[in-house]
Amino acid sequence: MAELSVEHLSLRFGGLTVLNDVSFAVQPGELIALIGPNGAGKTSVFNCISGIYRGDGVISFRGQSLIGRSPHEVAQRGVARTFQHGELFAEMSVVDNLLTGRHARIATNPIAEMLFLPSVRRAEVAHRAAVERIIDLVELERYRHARVGSLPFGVQKVVGFARALASEPSVILMDEPSAGLNREEREDLARFILRIKHELNMTIIWIEHDMQMIADLADRIHVLDYGRTIAEGAPDAVLNDPAVLAAYVGTASA
Ligand SMILES: Nc1ncnc2c1ncn2[C@@H]1O[C@H](COP(=O)(O)OP(=O)(O)O)[C@@H](O)[C@H]1O
Ligand SMILES: [Mg+2]
């Protein structure tokens, strides 16, 4: 069974058709890249999956429909996402930001928390241990207690990525994680992406403009243009497809 599938997804805003009959499926542990020129509808696909936009069509996670679920419910089921623009708390430390990222997992009992019962203490210890594992995985050890707002942009992007991982999702949706990163930071990011794929068996849908990273890392590519699928398949074939090349011609986004 597909880990996540999107079938015949369409989305309109007033007279504007943003998505038109988009279908794709991701298998467990697979990394697919979602590409296309600016305005193609890539982020809107993520917004539909994560319950921010309500499209027409079928979206399923492990065979169960996600349509009509709130963003919180989608996250709780194990579908996390990173944002194009940080969702971090600048005044808080890296560790505390990652702890907030675990909220999707945390079952709260206010009275037990107020009394700080042993069960609450155990949960707290477990949350911290999980956060430390993520910190090791993406090599944030030396920034653990730094205020996020004081960190370089590239490190903040890694913290955003780590925060999405902190909820221990089974699917992660990454929206242009490499935007604004330099060559070295992109190489680090590529390493972390491979690590979560191979060590955590994460299923990944990745919106990306860096064609070299996609060619190197993606198992498959799905291409949107004006809200429609124009190509899908293996990276080599898709990146050399005349229809894909044509879609990028005359746009500054490639
Ligand atoms: N909430 C919205 N209201 C109106 N139009 C929207 C909204 N969200 C996205 N769009 C439009 O949908 C199109 C696709 O946007 P988006 O999904 O952000 O594209 P991409 O991520 O591929 O650059 C754009 O024309 C955008 O203006
Ligand atoms: Mg976008």
Side-chain angles (χ1 to χ4, degrees), residues 37-44 84 175-176 207 209:
N38 279 333
K42 305 178 297 295
T43 298
S44 295
Q84 257 171 299
D175 198 344
E176 300 191 27
I207 296 175
H209 280 305

Side-chain angles (χ1 to χ4, degrees), residues 11 13 16-19 36-45 47 53 84 175-176 207 209 224:
L11 177 72
F13 286 109
L16 180 70
T17 298
V18 171
L19 298 174
N38 279 333
K42 305 178 297 295
T43 298
S44 295
V45 169
N47 284 338
Y53 292 169
Q84 257 171 299
D175 198 344
E176 300 191 27
I207 296 175
H209 280 305
L224 295 181

Side-chain angles (χ1 to χ4, degrees), residues 7 26 50 74 80 108 124 211:
E7 294 161 71
V26 207
S50 53
V74 173
T108 41
E124 175 71 16
M211 297 301 164

